[in-house]
């Protein structure tokens, strides 16, 4: 490129170091403070500021998905000989592995059953499931949030919709969780074995004949028939979106939502006094969702010499857009680490942005809204009894949390209000 070359500053943070695992938010702040694009100690390029992340998301003709899904860089020796190489090939049939017109076609197939009009039909059933689970847990008074609330609701609401045989569906959640273990420790034999099992499942030619009619998997099967715009080669990639993306993330968000309210009781009181803040609450939980130092990225590769802000990006550069960092950028959000359910936050990038926004975004929001509205009615206070967290290079989340709740003395007081003013749109 002509003119003065401006190089990205380099900082001494290694995302795989124990230092970064112990305090990934400090690493992200160092990234934002250093410049619009930085080089980490391992040589990786990272964009961490809000405005620059959003702008780069939009430049879909310059910064491409192709061969960068899940952060797999073909030149990264750490992944050579692991199942991640097979995952890269499978993801060439998914939205995160395509660009341009092909990306749009792939996205339409996987997102068609997850549109707002389609999801509105699910709401009554989701509300009934949430009511049954929450009522039972509140009667007990103490429960484990991850398994008894988040997983119980997520599995009951979503698993039947995916549409694979029940004995196969039971494996989906463990497979999703194993994916993050693989990136944490790509050489672990047991992790590799379990992950290879999930890849063999996706690549099984007979899978498309076993999906249940009228399910989300059936939509994928129909959209990848021989003679369709995409064809059978895209089936494993599109199914991987359902296998790896439909359960675990939302379950983790629900668990984190409870933790945030338990440690910020004034926000829980505020929400119960004003249930119209449910949508803002969901956005705030997603905005503040935690990830390890190698988590919270959308990855791109520069298709030509380019610039991000004033920094020169050479053609072929593999670059990470850190949306967890962007969502905490003090240049955009005042007091960004504060959990504030009333803040203006609908513009967060926790689900991505623009053409590459998460196709399951509306489903995740609906699940969180429905469950939250039932909790508002029945839970007066939260108390954490014990909590276990997992802090690794990708995962940085609660894995077990027992709570005690004080049930609402008058559930009926919320009945009419929530019935008339519940969130009927997914935004």
């Amino acid at each position: 490129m002509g003119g003065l070359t401006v190089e990205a500053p380099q900082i001494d943070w290694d995302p795989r170091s124990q230092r970064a695992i112990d305090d990934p938010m400090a690493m992200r702040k160092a990234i934002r403070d250093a410049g619009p694009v930085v080089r980490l100690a391992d040589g990786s390029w990272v964009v961490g500021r809000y405005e620059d992340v959003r702008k780069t998301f939009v430049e879909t003709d310059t910064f491409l998905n192709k061969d960068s899904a899940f952060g797999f860089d073909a030149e990264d020796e750490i992944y050579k000989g692991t199942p991640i190489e097979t995952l890269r090939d499978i993801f060439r049939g998914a939205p995160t592995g395509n660009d341009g017109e092909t990306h749009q076609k792939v996205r339409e197939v996987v997102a068609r059953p997850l549109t707002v009009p389609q999801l509105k039909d699910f709401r009554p059933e989701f509300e009934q499931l949430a009511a049954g689970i929450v009522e039972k847990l509140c009667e007990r008074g103490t429960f484990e949030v991850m398994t008894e609330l988040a997983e119980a609701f997520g599995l009951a609401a979503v698993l039947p919709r995916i549409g694979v045989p029940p004995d196969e569906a039971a494996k989906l959640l463990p497979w999703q969780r194993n994916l993050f273990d693989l990136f944490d420790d790509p050489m672990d034999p047991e992790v590799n074995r379990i992950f290879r099992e999930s890849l063999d499942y996706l690549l099984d030619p007979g899978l498309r004949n076993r999906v249940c009619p009228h399910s989300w998997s059936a939509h994928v099967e129909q959209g990848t028939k021989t003679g369709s715009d995409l064809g059978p080669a895209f089936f494993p990639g599109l199914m991987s979106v359902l296998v790896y993306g439909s359960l675990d993330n939302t379950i983790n968000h629900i668990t984190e939502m409870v933790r945030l309210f338990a440690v910020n009781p004034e926000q829980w009181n505020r929400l119960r006094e004003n249930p119209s803040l449910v949508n803002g609450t969901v956005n705030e939980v997603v905005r503040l969702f935690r990830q390890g130092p190698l988590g919270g990225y959308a990855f791109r590769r520069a298709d030509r010499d380019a610039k991000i802000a004033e920094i020169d990006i050479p053609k072929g550069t593999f670059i990470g857009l850190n949306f967890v960092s962007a969502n905490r950028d003090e240049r955009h959000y005042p007091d960004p680490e504060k959990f504030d359910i009333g803040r203006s936050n609908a513009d967060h990038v926790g689900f991505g942005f623009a053409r590459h926004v998460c196709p399951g975004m509306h489903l995740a929001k609906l699940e969180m809204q429905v469950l939250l509205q039932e909790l508002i009615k029945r839970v007066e206070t939260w108390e954490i009894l014990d909590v276990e967290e997992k802090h690794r290079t990708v995962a940085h989340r609660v894995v077990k949390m027992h709570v005690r709740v004080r049930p609402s003395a008058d559930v009926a007081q919320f009945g009419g209000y929530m019935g008339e003013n519940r969130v009927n749109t997914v935004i």
Side-chain angles (χ1 to χ4, degrees):
M1 292 183 291
L4 181 66
T5 298
V6 180
E7 296 184 352
Q10 185 155 354
I11 62 176
D12 65 354
W13 281 85
D14 181 346
R16 292 185 174 89
S17 68
Q18 191 61 49
R19 174 192 179 202
I21 293 171
D22 290 342
D23 198 349
M25 297 311 171
M27 186 190 79
R28 293 184 176 109
K29 188 173 189 313
I31 289 169
R32 294 193 301 271
D33 289 346
V37 186
V38 304
R39 303 285 303 279
L40 300 183
D42 65 349
S44 56
W45 297 63
V46 179
V47 182
R49 294 178 181 174
Y50 178 88
E51 291 297 334
D52 300 309
V53 167
R54 273 179 63 111
K55 288 177 181 177
T56 309
F57 264 125
V58 171
E59 295 184 36
T60 55
D61 292 333
T62 300
F63 297 99
L64 304 184
N65 267 330
K66 190 173 176 60
D67 288 336
S68 60
F70 270 176
F72 182 96
D73 187 343
E75 298 176 359
D76 194 336
E77 291 295 326
I78 192 172
Y79 297 138
K80 294 292 185 183
T82 75
I84 293 181
E85 289 188 288
T86 305
L87 178 68
R88 177 194 59 182
D89 294 336
I90 288 176
F91 259 71
R92 286 176 174 150
T96 49
N98 287 281
D99 301 281
E101 184 179 353
T102 302
H103 168 266
Q104 189 59 35
K105 291 178 179 178
V106 169
R107 182 180 177 81
E108 286 174 359
V109 169
V110 75
R112 191 177 300 131
L114 303 175
T115 61
V116 171
Q118 293 282 346
L119 291 174
K120 281 184 178 180
D121 293 338
F122 299 163
R123 178 178 282 277
E125 181 182 339
F126 282 16
E127 289 179 335
Q128 185 176 7
L129 289 169
I133 291 169
V134 173
E135 181 178 9
K136 183 183 298 184
L137 294 177
C138 286
E139 287 175 355
R140 281 171 38 193
T142 61
F143 56 90
E144 200 284 303
V145 176
M146 172 67 81
T147 55
E148 295 185 293
L149 177 68
E151 282 186 10
F153 176 69
L155 293 173
V158 173
L159 210 53
R161 305 286 180 180
I162 294 175
V164 297
D167 60 324
E168 300 173 18
K171 301 177 182 179
L172 298 191
L173 183 57
W175 281 343
Q176 288 186 31
R177 296 214 167 129
N178 188 73
L179 174 64
F180 297 107
D181 291 337
L182 181 67
F183 280 85
D184 281 327
D185 192 356
M187 299 305 176
D188 183 275
E190 180 63 11
V191 171
N192 272 257
R193 183 194 66 77
I194 297 172
F195 192 64
R196 174 57 64 187
E197 181 181 286
S198 70
L199 297 184
D200 290 343
Y201 179 79
L202 292 171
L203 292 169
D204 177 7
L207 175 59
R208 65 185 309 126
N209 300 320
R210 300 196 302 273
V211 300
C212 303
H214 312 298
S215 65
W216 297 339
S217 296
H219 279 279
V220 170
E221 195 276 330
Q222 287 293 319
T224 59
K225 281 183 175 291
T226 301
S228 68
D229 286 345
L230 298 177
F234 285 83
F235 180 77
L238 286 168
M239 283 297 295
S240 70
V241 176
L242 300 180
V243 169
Y244 295 129
S246 57
L247 292 168
D248 191 48
N249 279 336
T250 305
I251 289 169
N252 290 330
H253 277 83
I254 291 170
T255 306
E256 182 68 2
M257 179 173 70
V258 171
R259 187 194 70 83
L260 284 167
F261 276 122
V263 299
N264 296 278
E266 77 287 350
Q267 294 297 311
W268 183 245
N269 293 336
R270 183 182 182 187
L271 181 61
R272 296 187 80 233
E273 291 170 0
N274 186 2
S276 67
L277 293 175
V278 162
N279 282 334
T281 296
V282 169
N283 282 324
E284 187 72 346
V285 171
V286 176
R287 185 186 73 83
L288 284 176
F289 191 64
R290 299 177 295 168
Q291 298 268 19
L294 283 179
Y297 280 99
F299 293 94
R300 301 290 186 267
R301 195 182 297 276
D303 195 43
R304 60 182 72 115
D305 289 344
K307 282 183 177 288
I308 297 177
E310 73 273 14
I311 305 296
D312 287 288
I313 311 296
K315 179 181 178 180
T317 299
F318 183 76
I319 193 163
L321 311 181
N322 196 290
F323 52 84
V324 172
S325 174
N327 283 336
R328 286 172 164 78
D329 188 354
E330 47 281 301
R331 296 159 190 80
H332 186 74
Y333 294 109
D335 198 4
E337 296 294 336
K338 181 181 179 182
F339 179 53
D340 179 1
I341 65 174
R343 78 162 72 237
S344 177
N345 57 15
D347 59 352
H348 70 81
V349 290
F351 288 117
F353 184 62
R355 293 179 64 184
H356 294 294
V357 71
C358 173
M361 173 182 68
H362 298 307
L363 172 65
K365 287 187 174 184
L366 175 62
E367 290 181 72
M368 294 170 72
Q369 289 167 1
V370 165
L371 192 57
L372 190 56
Q373 288 175 163
E374 193 62 34
L375 291 168
I376 290 170
K377 290 191 292 184
R378 297 188 177 275
V379 176
E380 187 171 330
T381 62
W382 299 95
E383 178 191 355
I384 296 177
L385 301 178
D386 61 73
V387 62
E388 177 185 342
E389 297 195 355
K390 183 176 187 177
H391 294 177
R392 299 188 71 182
T393 55
V394 176
H396 191 107
R397 57 182 175 82
V398 173
V399 294
K400 185 178 293 185
M401 181 169 64
H402 288 89
V403 297
R404 177 183 291 118
V405 297
R406 180 193 298 165
S408 175
D410 186 7
V411 174
Q413 70 174 314
F414 292 95
Y417 183 90
M418 296 303 291
E420 295 172 5
N421 296 279
R422 69 184 187 183
V423 182
N424 285 312
T425 56
V426 185
I427 65 171

